[in-house]
Amino acid sequence: MAIGSGLGAQIGIAAETTYGTFVAPAKFIEFTKEGLVLKKTTAQSAGIAAGRLMALSSRRVVTQREASGSIDLEVTNKAMGLILQALMGTTVTPVQQGATAAYLQTHTLADTAGKSLTIQKGVPLTTGTVTDKSFVGCKVVSAEFSCEAGGMLMLSLEVDGKDCDEAQTLASASYPVMSPFHFGQMALKTGTFASETALDGVRKVSIKVERGMAVDRFYANQSALKKEPISNDLVKITGSLEMDYVATTIDDLHTSDGATALVWEFLGPTIESPHVETFRIKLPAIKIDDAPPTVEGFDVIRPTFGFTALYDGTNAVAIEYMSADVTL
């Protein structure tokens, strides 16, 4: 029996072959909070019947079912590939680096058609029995990465799902030995693409990827369930840099509205020399939107610069992930 509290909870994920068709999870992620729920649309018959003062329970019907919610987790050195693929859209096979135990995943921005997940969560009763809630047809509609001084690299996912299936067998969770990426491993670079240099004074970074999707594709002949969401808007990537005002590099870009490439990376322990655990986001062009420095008292000037990532016409946005994972 599991512990009858959140300590006994679990989340497992699997890539689906067909949108909305359950696949038993084989990978399990460590999470800090989740909010995945079934959403239903109901209609209540309200016909007039002499002497009846309330609507009949038997005349309420469910006209639509779907799922949605969030998952918050630390970005770790293993088991992140399926999530990154569902976010970015490119079909990725980890590439072995020479004859070493290091494998590189390169997730470039692409359409996410055909990229859906089964996300199965186990929710413990106080008795220790863990109930199954299997969310099928899960599409990642947004993801925000963030890290601040003294903290972990965190990821907050927003998910849209087709349905919640509670008739599946709860998979037995197992976890590889993992460690989180953190501020002590963090570097941020700006400048000419592929020649970026370290930017001093950075205390906190956040980058959010939003995938505009038509998530309301409810049609006849679908048994109250939706068809796979499809992209219906440009991908929006925004972020912010909180930093001490040690140089005017970013401030000058705000003034000129000039573009710069941005690389945000975390370099961990060596997997096998010379390859190290890596998490890296590469934005070929960003423009600074707001928040030039202001003086608000005696303390060090500490502006937060908001930015928008744009296409430079040549290079794709990418997330690079180096780990010992042989498969996603």
Side-chain angles (χ1 to χ4, degrees), residues 175-241:
Y175 304 91
V177 177
M178 295 186 289
S179 59
F181 291 103
H182 59 83
F183 182 78
Q185 303 165 332
M186 187 174 93
L188 190 126
K189 304 174 184 179
T190 58
T192 303
F193 180 78
S195 300
E196 299 90 352
T197 58
L199 182 66
D200 194 13
V202 177
R203 297 178 52 84
K204 181 179 179 180
V205 180
S206 69
I207 294 178
K208 185 174 186 179
V209 181
E210 297 175 87
R211 313 270 340 204
M213 294 186 195
V215 297
D216 58 350
R217 299 183 66 212
F218 291 96
Y219 305 144
N221 307 311
Q222 297 296 318
S223 301
L225 302 176
K226 70 174 71 175
K227 299 197 78 171
E228 180 178 2
I230 56 178
S231 297
N232 67 348
D233 200 354
L234 296 174
V235 176
K236 182 180 180 182
I237 302 178
T238 56
S240 65
L241 305 174

Short mmCIF file of all heavy atoms in Angstrom, two decimals, residues 175-241:
data_model
loop_
_atom_site.label_atom_id
_atom_site.label_comp_id
_atom_site.label_asym_id
_atom_site.label_seq_id
_atom_site.Cartn_x
_atom_site.Cartn_y
_atom_site.Cartn_z
N TYR A 175 11.88 4.92 -10.92
CA TYR A 175 12.57 6.16 -11.24
C TYR A 175 14.07 5.90 -11.38
O TYR A 175 14.67 5.25 -10.52
CB TYR A 175 12.34 7.21 -10.15
CG TYR A 175 10.89 7.50 -9.87
CD1 TYR A 175 10.19 6.77 -8.91
CD2 TYR A 175 10.21 8.47 -10.58
CE1 TYR A 175 8.85 7.02 -8.65
CE2 TYR A 175 8.87 8.74 -10.33
CZ TYR A 175 8.20 8.01 -9.37
OH TYR A 175 6.87 8.25 -9.12
N PRO A 176 14.68 6.43 -12.46
CA PRO A 176 16.13 6.35 -12.54
C PRO A 176 16.76 7.29 -11.52
O PRO A 176 16.10 8.18 -10.97
CB PRO A 176 16.42 6.83 -13.97
CG PRO A 176 15.28 7.75 -14.28
CD PRO A 176 14.08 7.17 -13.58
N VAL A 177 18.03 7.09 -11.26
CA VAL A 177 18.76 8.03 -10.39
C VAL A 177 18.91 9.33 -11.16
O VAL A 177 19.51 9.37 -12.24
CB VAL A 177 20.14 7.46 -10.00
CG1 VAL A 177 20.89 8.48 -9.16
CG2 VAL A 177 19.97 6.15 -9.23
N MET A 178 18.31 10.40 -10.64
CA MET A 178 18.29 11.68 -11.35
C MET A 178 18.80 12.79 -10.45
O MET A 178 18.76 12.68 -9.23
CB MET A 178 16.87 12.01 -11.82
CG MET A 178 16.30 11.05 -12.84
SD MET A 178 14.68 11.59 -13.48
CE MET A 178 13.64 11.32 -12.04
N SER A 179 19.25 13.86 -11.07
CA SER A 179 19.60 15.07 -10.33
C SER A 179 19.09 16.27 -11.11
O SER A 179 18.97 16.22 -12.34
CB SER A 179 21.11 15.16 -10.12
OG SER A 179 21.80 15.18 -11.35
N PRO A 180 18.76 17.35 -10.42
CA PRO A 180 18.19 18.53 -11.08
C PRO A 180 19.27 19.46 -11.60
O PRO A 180 20.38 19.54 -11.07
CB PRO A 180 17.39 19.19 -9.97
CG PRO A 180 18.17 18.86 -8.73
CD PRO A 180 18.74 17.50 -8.94
N PHE A 181 18.93 20.19 -12.66
CA PHE A 181 19.75 21.33 -13.07
C PHE A 181 19.43 22.50 -12.14
O PHE A 181 18.30 22.65 -11.68
CB PHE A 181 19.45 21.70 -14.53
CG PHE A 181 19.93 20.68 -15.52
CD1 PHE A 181 19.06 19.81 -16.13
CD2 PHE A 181 21.28 20.60 -15.86
CE1 PHE A 181 19.49 18.86 -17.04
CE2 PHE A 181 21.73 19.66 -16.78
CZ PHE A 181 20.84 18.79 -17.37
N HIS A 182 20.45 23.36 -11.90
CA HIS A 182 20.26 24.40 -10.88
C HIS A 182 21.08 25.64 -11.21
O HIS A 182 21.90 25.65 -12.15
CB HIS A 182 20.61 23.86 -9.50
CG HIS A 182 22.02 23.36 -9.37
ND1 HIS A 182 23.10 24.18 -9.13
CD2 HIS A 182 22.53 22.10 -9.48
CE1 HIS A 182 24.20 23.48 -9.07
NE2 HIS A 182 23.89 22.19 -9.28
N PHE A 183 20.88 26.67 -10.39
CA PHE A 183 21.48 27.98 -10.64
C PHE A 183 23.01 27.93 -10.70
O PHE A 183 23.64 28.66 -11.46
CB PHE A 183 21.03 28.97 -9.56
CG PHE A 183 21.57 30.37 -9.76
CD1 PHE A 183 20.99 31.22 -10.69
CD2 PHE A 183 22.64 30.83 -9.00
CE1 PHE A 183 21.48 32.51 -10.88
CE2 PHE A 183 23.13 32.12 -9.18
CZ PHE A 183 22.55 32.96 -10.13
N GLY A 184 23.60 27.05 -9.89
CA GLY A 184 25.05 26.96 -9.88
C GLY A 184 25.63 26.47 -11.20
O GLY A 184 26.84 26.61 -11.44
N GLN A 185 24.79 25.90 -12.07
CA GLN A 185 25.23 25.41 -13.38
C GLN A 185 24.83 26.35 -14.50
O GLN A 185 25.11 26.08 -15.67
CB GLN A 185 24.61 24.03 -13.64
CG GLN A 185 24.93 22.98 -12.59
CD GLN A 185 24.02 21.76 -12.70
OE1 GLN A 185 22.89 21.86 -13.16
NE2 GLN A 185 24.52 20.62 -12.26
N MET A 186 24.19 27.46 -14.17
CA MET A 186 23.53 28.29 -15.18
C MET A 186 24.48 29.28 -15.84
O MET A 186 25.31 29.89 -15.18
CB MET A 186 22.36 29.05 -14.54
CG MET A 186 21.50 29.81 -15.54
SD MET A 186 20.03 30.53 -14.76
CE MET A 186 20.63 32.17 -14.36
N ALA A 187 24.34 29.43 -17.13
CA ALA A 187 25.03 30.46 -17.89
C ALA A 187 24.04 31.09 -18.86
O ALA A 187 23.15 30.40 -19.39
CB ALA A 187 26.22 29.88 -18.65
N LEU A 188 24.19 32.38 -19.10
CA LEU A 188 23.37 33.06 -20.10
C LEU A 188 24.28 33.87 -21.01
O LEU A 188 25.14 34.61 -20.53
CB LEU A 188 22.32 33.96 -19.46
CG LEU A 188 21.31 34.47 -20.50
CD1 LEU A 188 19.90 34.16 -20.10
CD2 LEU A 188 21.49 35.95 -20.77
N LYS A 189 24.10 33.71 -22.31
CA LYS A 189 24.96 34.36 -23.29
C LYS A 189 24.11 35.10 -24.31
O LYS A 189 23.01 34.66 -24.66
CB LYS A 189 25.83 33.32 -24.01
CG LYS A 189 26.67 32.46 -23.09
CD LYS A 189 27.40 31.37 -23.87
CE LYS A 189 28.17 30.45 -22.95
NZ LYS A 189 28.86 29.37 -23.72
N THR A 190 24.62 36.21 -24.81
CA THR A 190 23.97 36.98 -25.87
C THR A 190 25.01 37.39 -26.89
O THR A 190 26.21 37.32 -26.65
CB THR A 190 23.26 38.22 -25.31
OG1 THR A 190 24.22 39.04 -24.62
CG2 THR A 190 22.13 37.85 -24.37
N GLY A 191 24.53 37.85 -28.04
CA GLY A 191 25.43 38.32 -29.09
C GLY A 191 25.08 37.75 -30.44
O GLY A 191 23.95 37.34 -30.68
N THR A 192 26.04 37.69 -31.32
CA THR A 192 25.84 37.14 -32.66
C THR A 192 25.59 35.64 -32.57
O THR A 192 26.26 34.94 -31.81
CB THR A 192 27.08 37.40 -33.54
OG1 THR A 192 27.33 38.80 -33.57
CG2 THR A 192 26.88 36.89 -34.95
N PHE A 193 24.63 35.16 -33.34
CA PHE A 193 24.28 33.74 -33.29
C PHE A 193 25.50 32.86 -33.52
O PHE A 193 26.29 33.08 -34.44
CB PHE A 193 23.21 33.42 -34.35
CG PHE A 193 22.78 31.98 -34.35
CD1 PHE A 193 21.91 31.49 -33.39
CD2 PHE A 193 23.27 31.09 -35.31
CE1 PHE A 193 21.52 30.17 -33.37
CE2 PHE A 193 22.89 29.76 -35.30
CZ PHE A 193 22.01 29.29 -34.34
N ALA A 194 25.66 31.85 -32.66
CA ALA A 194 26.76 30.88 -32.69
C ALA A 194 28.08 31.47 -32.17
O ALA A 194 29.08 30.76 -32.10
CB ALA A 194 26.97 30.28 -34.07
N SER A 195 28.06 32.77 -31.80
CA SER A 195 29.26 33.39 -31.20
C SER A 195 28.89 34.18 -29.95
O SER A 195 29.51 35.20 -29.63
CB SER A 195 29.95 34.30 -32.22
OG SER A 195 30.37 33.58 -33.36
N GLU A 196 27.87 33.73 -29.25
CA GLU A 196 27.38 34.46 -28.08
C GLU A 196 28.44 34.45 -26.96
O GLU A 196 29.24 33.52 -26.83
CB GLU A 196 26.09 33.82 -27.56
CG GLU A 196 24.95 33.82 -28.57
CD GLU A 196 24.91 32.58 -29.45
OE1 GLU A 196 25.88 31.77 -29.40
OE2 GLU A 196 23.93 32.42 -30.20
N THR A 197 28.40 35.51 -26.14
CA THR A 197 29.32 35.62 -25.01
C THR A 197 28.53 35.81 -23.72
O THR A 197 27.37 36.24 -23.73
CB THR A 197 30.29 36.79 -25.20
OG1 THR A 197 29.54 38.01 -25.35
CG2 THR A 197 31.17 36.58 -26.42
N ALA A 198 29.17 35.48 -22.60
CA ALA A 198 28.51 35.52 -21.30
C ALA A 198 28.01 36.91 -20.96
O ALA A 198 28.71 37.92 -21.19
CB ALA A 198 29.46 35.02 -20.22
N LEU A 199 26.81 36.99 -20.43
CA LEU A 199 26.22 38.25 -19.99
C LEU A 199 26.31 38.33 -18.47
O LEU A 199 25.82 37.44 -17.76
CB LEU A 199 24.76 38.33 -20.44
CG LEU A 199 24.00 39.61 -20.10
CD1 LEU A 199 24.58 40.79 -20.86
CD2 LEU A 199 22.51 39.46 -20.43
N ASP A 200 26.94 39.36 -17.96
CA ASP A 200 27.18 39.49 -16.52
C ASP A 200 25.94 40.05 -15.81
O ASP A 200 25.12 40.76 -16.40
CB ASP A 200 28.37 40.42 -16.28
CG ASP A 200 28.91 40.34 -14.86
OD1 ASP A 200 28.53 39.40 -14.13
OD2 ASP A 200 29.71 41.21 -14.47
N GLY A 201 25.82 39.71 -14.53
CA GLY A 201 24.81 40.32 -13.67
C GLY A 201 23.46 39.62 -13.64
O GLY A 201 22.55 40.07 -12.95
N VAL A 202 23.31 38.51 -14.36
CA VAL A 202 21.99 37.86 -14.47
C VAL A 202 21.67 37.09 -13.19
O VAL A 202 22.44 36.27 -12.72
CB VAL A 202 21.96 36.90 -15.68
CG1 VAL A 202 20.62 36.16 -15.74
CG2 VAL A 202 22.23 37.66 -16.96
N ARG A 203 20.49 37.36 -12.63
CA ARG A 203 20.05 36.73 -11.38
C ARG A 203 18.88 35.78 -11.59
O ARG A 203 18.72 34.81 -10.84
CB ARG A 203 19.63 37.81 -10.37
CG ARG A 203 20.75 38.75 -9.95
CD ARG A 203 20.24 39.81 -8.98
NE ARG A 203 19.52 39.21 -7.87
CZ ARG A 203 20.12 38.74 -6.77
NH1 ARG A 203 21.43 38.80 -6.64
NH2 ARG A 203 19.39 38.22 -5.79
N LYS A 204 18.05 36.04 -12.58
CA LYS A 204 16.87 35.20 -12.80
C LYS A 204 16.51 35.25 -14.27
O LYS A 204 16.57 36.30 -14.90
CB LYS A 204 15.68 35.70 -11.96
CG LYS A 204 14.42 34.87 -12.12
CD LYS A 204 13.29 35.41 -11.23
CE LYS A 204 12.02 34.59 -11.40
NZ LYS A 204 10.91 35.11 -10.53
N VAL A 205 16.13 34.09 -14.81
CA VAL A 205 15.73 33.98 -16.21
C VAL A 205 14.44 33.17 -16.28
O VAL A 205 14.26 32.19 -15.55
CB VAL A 205 16.81 33.28 -17.06
CG1 VAL A 205 16.37 33.17 -18.52
CG2 VAL A 205 18.15 34.00 -16.95
N SER A 206 13.55 33.59 -17.15
CA SER A 206 12.37 32.77 -17.47
C SER A 206 12.12 32.85 -18.97
O SER A 206 12.33 33.90 -19.58
CB SER A 206 11.13 33.23 -16.70
OG SER A 206 10.68 34.49 -17.15
N ILE A 207 11.73 31.72 -19.53
CA ILE A 207 11.37 31.64 -20.96
C ILE A 207 10.09 30.82 -21.06
O ILE A 207 10.01 29.71 -20.53
CB ILE A 207 12.49 31.00 -21.79
CG1 ILE A 207 13.73 31.89 -21.81
CG2 ILE A 207 12.01 30.74 -23.22
CD1 ILE A 207 14.91 31.30 -22.57
N LYS A 208 9.11 31.38 -21.76
CA LYS A 208 7.82 30.72 -21.93
C LYS A 208 7.54 30.48 -23.40
O LYS A 208 7.66 31.40 -24.22
CB LYS A 208 6.69 31.55 -21.31
CG LYS A 208 5.34 30.86 -21.33
CD LYS A 208 4.29 31.66 -20.57
CE LYS A 208 2.96 30.91 -20.48
NZ LYS A 208 1.95 31.67 -19.72
N VAL A 209 7.16 29.24 -23.72
CA VAL A 209 6.78 28.86 -25.08
C VAL A 209 5.28 28.59 -25.09
O VAL A 209 4.80 27.76 -24.32
CB VAL A 209 7.54 27.61 -25.55
CG1 VAL A 209 7.15 27.24 -26.98
CG2 VAL A 209 9.05 27.81 -25.44
N GLU A 210 4.56 29.29 -25.95
CA GLU A 210 3.11 29.11 -26.05
C GLU A 210 2.75 28.63 -27.45
O GLU A 210 3.12 29.28 -28.45
CB GLU A 210 2.39 30.42 -25.74
CG GLU A 210 2.62 30.92 -24.32
CD GLU A 210 2.00 32.28 -24.07
OE1 GLU A 210 0.81 32.31 -23.70
OE2 GLU A 210 2.69 33.29 -24.27
N ARG A 211 2.03 27.51 -27.53
CA ARG A 211 1.62 26.93 -28.80
C ARG A 211 0.14 27.19 -29.00
O ARG A 211 -0.71 26.60 -28.33
CB ARG A 211 1.87 25.41 -28.79
CG ARG A 211 3.23 24.97 -28.30
CD ARG A 211 4.31 24.83 -29.29
NE ARG A 211 4.02 24.71 -30.67
CZ ARG A 211 4.85 24.13 -31.54
NH1 ARG A 211 6.00 23.60 -31.14
NH2 ARG A 211 4.58 24.11 -32.81
N GLY A 212 -0.18 28.12 -29.91
CA GLY A 212 -1.58 28.39 -30.20
C GLY A 212 -2.22 27.21 -30.90
O GLY A 212 -1.76 26.79 -31.95
N MET A 213 -3.29 26.67 -30.31
CA MET A 213 -3.96 25.50 -30.88
C MET A 213 -5.47 25.63 -30.81
O MET A 213 -6.01 26.23 -29.86
CB MET A 213 -3.56 24.22 -30.12
CG MET A 213 -2.11 23.82 -30.26
SD MET A 213 -1.83 22.22 -29.47
CE MET A 213 -0.03 22.23 -29.38
N ALA A 214 -6.12 25.08 -31.82
CA ALA A 214 -7.58 24.96 -31.78
C ALA A 214 -7.92 23.74 -30.92
O ALA A 214 -7.79 22.60 -31.36
CB ALA A 214 -8.12 24.79 -33.19
N VAL A 215 -8.30 24.00 -29.68
CA VAL A 215 -8.56 22.92 -28.74
C VAL A 215 -10.07 22.65 -28.58
O VAL A 215 -10.49 21.92 -27.68
CB VAL A 215 -7.95 23.23 -27.36
CG1 VAL A 215 -6.44 23.34 -27.45
CG2 VAL A 215 -8.55 24.50 -26.76
N ASP A 216 -10.86 23.22 -29.49
CA ASP A 216 -12.32 23.10 -29.38
C ASP A 216 -12.91 22.34 -30.57
O ASP A 216 -14.01 22.64 -31.03
CB ASP A 216 -12.95 24.48 -29.28
CG ASP A 216 -12.62 25.38 -30.47
OD1 ASP A 216 -11.74 25.00 -31.28
OD2 ASP A 216 -13.25 26.46 -30.59
N ARG A 217 -12.19 21.34 -31.07
CA ARG A 217 -12.64 20.63 -32.26
C ARG A 217 -13.63 19.52 -31.90
O ARG A 217 -13.39 18.32 -32.09
CB ARG A 217 -11.44 20.08 -33.02
CG ARG A 217 -10.47 21.18 -33.50
CD ARG A 217 -9.33 20.59 -34.30
NE ARG A 217 -9.82 20.01 -35.55
CZ ARG A 217 -9.28 18.95 -36.15
NH1 ARG A 217 -8.25 18.32 -35.60
NH2 ARG A 217 -9.77 18.49 -37.28
N PHE A 218 -14.78 19.93 -31.39
CA PHE A 218 -15.86 19.00 -31.07
C PHE A 218 -16.79 18.90 -32.26
O PHE A 218 -17.38 19.90 -32.69
CB PHE A 218 -16.63 19.48 -29.83
CG PHE A 218 -15.84 19.40 -28.56
CD1 PHE A 218 -15.15 20.50 -28.07
CD2 PHE A 218 -15.77 18.21 -27.84
CE1 PHE A 218 -14.42 20.43 -26.89
CE2 PHE A 218 -15.04 18.13 -26.66
CZ PHE A 218 -14.37 19.24 -26.19
N TYR A 219 -16.94 17.69 -32.80
CA TYR A 219 -17.76 17.46 -33.98
C TYR A 219 -18.78 16.36 -33.70
O TYR A 219 -18.64 15.58 -32.75
CB TYR A 219 -16.89 17.03 -35.18
CG TYR A 219 -15.75 17.96 -35.53
CD1 TYR A 219 -14.55 17.44 -35.99
CD2 TYR A 219 -15.88 19.34 -35.43
CE1 TYR A 219 -13.48 18.28 -36.33
CE2 TYR A 219 -14.83 20.18 -35.76
CZ TYR A 219 -13.64 19.65 -36.21
OH TYR A 219 -12.59 20.49 -36.55
N ALA A 220 -19.77 16.29 -34.59
CA ALA A 220 -20.67 15.14 -34.57
C ALA A 220 -19.88 13.87 -34.88
O ALA A 220 -18.80 13.92 -35.47
CB ALA A 220 -21.78 15.33 -35.60
N ASN A 221 -20.42 12.75 -34.46
CA ASN A 221 -19.83 11.42 -34.70
C ASN A 221 -18.56 11.18 -33.88
O ASN A 221 -17.81 10.25 -34.18
CB ASN A 221 -19.48 11.23 -36.18
CG ASN A 221 -20.65 11.49 -37.10
OD1 ASN A 221 -21.75 10.98 -36.87
ND2 ASN A 221 -20.43 12.31 -38.12
N GLN A 222 -18.32 11.98 -32.83
CA GLN A 222 -17.11 11.83 -32.02
C GLN A 222 -17.43 11.44 -30.57
O GLN A 222 -16.54 11.47 -29.72
CB GLN A 222 -16.31 13.13 -32.03
CG GLN A 222 -15.79 13.54 -33.39
CD GLN A 222 -14.78 12.55 -33.94
OE1 GLN A 222 -13.92 12.07 -33.22
NE2 GLN A 222 -14.91 12.24 -35.22
N SER A 223 -18.68 11.08 -30.29
CA SER A 223 -19.07 10.62 -28.95
C SER A 223 -18.70 11.61 -27.85
O SER A 223 -18.21 11.24 -26.79
CB SER A 223 -18.44 9.25 -28.65
OG SER A 223 -18.83 8.30 -29.61
N ALA A 224 -18.93 12.90 -28.13
CA ALA A 224 -18.73 13.99 -27.18
C ALA A 224 -17.26 14.31 -26.93
O ALA A 224 -16.94 15.12 -26.05
CB ALA A 224 -19.43 13.72 -25.85
N LEU A 225 -16.34 13.69 -27.69
CA LEU A 225 -14.92 13.95 -27.51
C LEU A 225 -14.37 14.76 -28.68
O LEU A 225 -14.92 14.75 -29.77
CB LEU A 225 -14.15 12.62 -27.39
CG LEU A 225 -14.60 11.71 -26.25
CD1 LEU A 225 -13.84 10.39 -26.31
CD2 LEU A 225 -14.42 12.39 -24.90
N LYS A 226 -13.25 15.44 -28.44
CA LYS A 226 -12.67 16.31 -29.46
C LYS A 226 -11.73 15.54 -30.38
O LYS A 226 -11.21 14.47 -30.02
CB LYS A 226 -11.92 17.46 -28.81
CG LYS A 226 -10.65 17.05 -28.09
CD LYS A 226 -9.86 18.25 -27.59
CE LYS A 226 -10.53 18.95 -26.43
NZ LYS A 226 -9.71 20.05 -25.87
N LYS A 227 -11.49 16.10 -31.55
CA LYS A 227 -10.43 15.61 -32.42
C LYS A 227 -9.13 16.33 -32.03
O LYS A 227 -9.13 17.31 -31.29
CB LYS A 227 -10.76 15.85 -33.89
CG LYS A 227 -12.04 15.14 -34.34
CD LYS A 227 -12.14 15.03 -35.85
CE LYS A 227 -11.25 13.91 -36.37
NZ LYS A 227 -11.49 13.63 -37.81
N GLU A 228 -8.01 15.81 -32.53
CA GLU A 228 -6.70 16.35 -32.13
C GLU A 228 -6.61 17.85 -32.41
O GLU A 228 -6.88 18.30 -33.52
CB GLU A 228 -5.58 15.63 -32.87
CG GLU A 228 -4.20 16.13 -32.49
CD GLU A 228 -3.07 15.40 -33.18
OE1 GLU A 228 -3.34 14.50 -34.00
OE2 GLU A 228 -1.89 15.72 -32.90
N PRO A 229 -6.22 18.63 -31.40
CA PRO A 229 -6.01 20.06 -31.63
C PRO A 229 -4.95 20.29 -32.72
O PRO A 229 -3.99 19.52 -32.84
CB PRO A 229 -5.52 20.57 -30.27
CG PRO A 229 -6.08 19.60 -29.28
CD PRO A 229 -6.05 18.28 -29.98
N ILE A 230 -5.15 21.34 -33.50
CA ILE A 230 -4.20 21.68 -34.54
C ILE A 230 -3.73 23.12 -34.33
O ILE A 230 -4.43 23.96 -33.76
CB ILE A 230 -4.80 21.52 -35.96
CG1 ILE A 230 -6.08 22.34 -36.11
CG2 ILE A 230 -5.08 20.05 -36.25
CD1 ILE A 230 -6.70 22.25 -37.50
N SER A 231 -2.51 23.40 -34.79
CA SER A 231 -1.95 24.74 -34.63
C SER A 231 -2.80 25.75 -35.37
O SER A 231 -3.15 25.55 -36.54
CB SER A 231 -0.51 24.78 -35.17
OG SER A 231 0.33 23.91 -34.43
N ASN A 232 -3.14 26.85 -34.70
CA ASN A 232 -3.95 27.88 -35.34
C ASN A 232 -3.42 29.29 -35.06
O ASN A 232 -4.11 30.28 -35.24
CB ASN A 232 -5.41 27.77 -34.90
CG ASN A 232 -5.64 28.10 -33.44
OD1 ASN A 232 -4.68 28.21 -32.67
ND2 ASN A 232 -6.88 28.27 -33.05
N ASP A 233 -2.15 29.36 -34.63
CA ASP A 233 -1.55 30.67 -34.39
C ASP A 233 -0.03 30.51 -34.42
O ASP A 233 0.50 29.40 -34.30
CB ASP A 233 -1.98 31.22 -33.02
CG ASP A 233 -1.81 32.73 -32.90
OD1 ASP A 233 -1.25 33.34 -33.85
OD2 ASP A 233 -2.20 33.29 -31.87
N LEU A 234 0.67 31.62 -34.57
CA LEU A 234 2.12 31.60 -34.50
C LEU A 234 2.57 31.21 -33.09
O LEU A 234 1.91 31.53 -32.10
CB LEU A 234 2.70 32.97 -34.85
CG LEU A 234 2.45 33.48 -36.27
CD1 LEU A 234 2.95 34.91 -36.41
CD2 LEU A 234 3.14 32.58 -37.29
N VAL A 235 3.69 30.50 -33.02
CA VAL A 235 4.27 30.17 -31.72
C VAL A 235 4.78 31.46 -31.08
O VAL A 235 5.44 32.27 -31.72
CB VAL A 235 5.42 29.16 -31.87
CG1 VAL A 235 6.07 28.89 -30.51
CG2 VAL A 235 4.91 27.87 -32.48
N LYS A 236 4.45 31.64 -29.81
CA LYS A 236 4.87 32.83 -29.07
C LYS A 236 5.90 32.42 -28.03
O LYS A 236 5.63 31.55 -27.18
CB LYS A 236 3.66 33.50 -28.41
CG LYS A 236 3.99 34.78 -27.66
CD LYS A 236 2.73 35.38 -27.03
CE LYS A 236 3.03 36.66 -26.28
NZ LYS A 236 1.82 37.22 -25.62
N ILE A 237 7.08 33.03 -28.08
CA ILE A 237 8.12 32.76 -27.09
C ILE A 237 8.52 34.09 -26.46
O ILE A 237 8.95 35.02 -27.15
CB ILE A 237 9.35 32.10 -27.72
CG1 ILE A 237 8.96 30.78 -28.41
CG2 ILE A 237 10.42 31.83 -26.65
CD1 ILE A 237 10.10 30.08 -29.11
N THR A 238 8.33 34.18 -25.17
CA THR A 238 8.65 35.41 -24.43
C THR A 238 9.49 35.04 -23.20
O THR A 238 9.61 33.86 -22.83
CB THR A 238 7.38 36.14 -23.97
OG1 THR A 238 6.58 35.23 -23.20
CG2 THR A 238 6.58 36.62 -25.17
N GLY A 239 10.05 36.04 -22.58
CA GLY A 239 10.83 35.77 -21.39
C GLY A 239 11.22 37.02 -20.66
O GLY A 239 10.81 38.14 -21.02
N SER A 240 12.01 36.84 -19.62
CA SER A 240 12.49 37.99 -18.85
C SER A 240 13.86 37.69 -18.26
O SER A 240 14.21 36.53 -18.00
CB SER A 240 11.50 38.33 -17.72
OG SER A 240 11.43 37.28 -16.78
N LEU A 241 14.62 38.75 -18.08
CA LEU A 241 15.95 38.69 -17.47
C LEU A 241 15.96 39.64 -16.28
O LEU A 241 15.81 40.86 -16.46
CB LEU A 241 17.03 39.10 -18.45
CG LEU A 241 17.12 38.37 -19.80
CD1 LEU A 241 18.17 39.01 -20.69
CD2 LEU A 241 17.44 36.90 -19.57
#
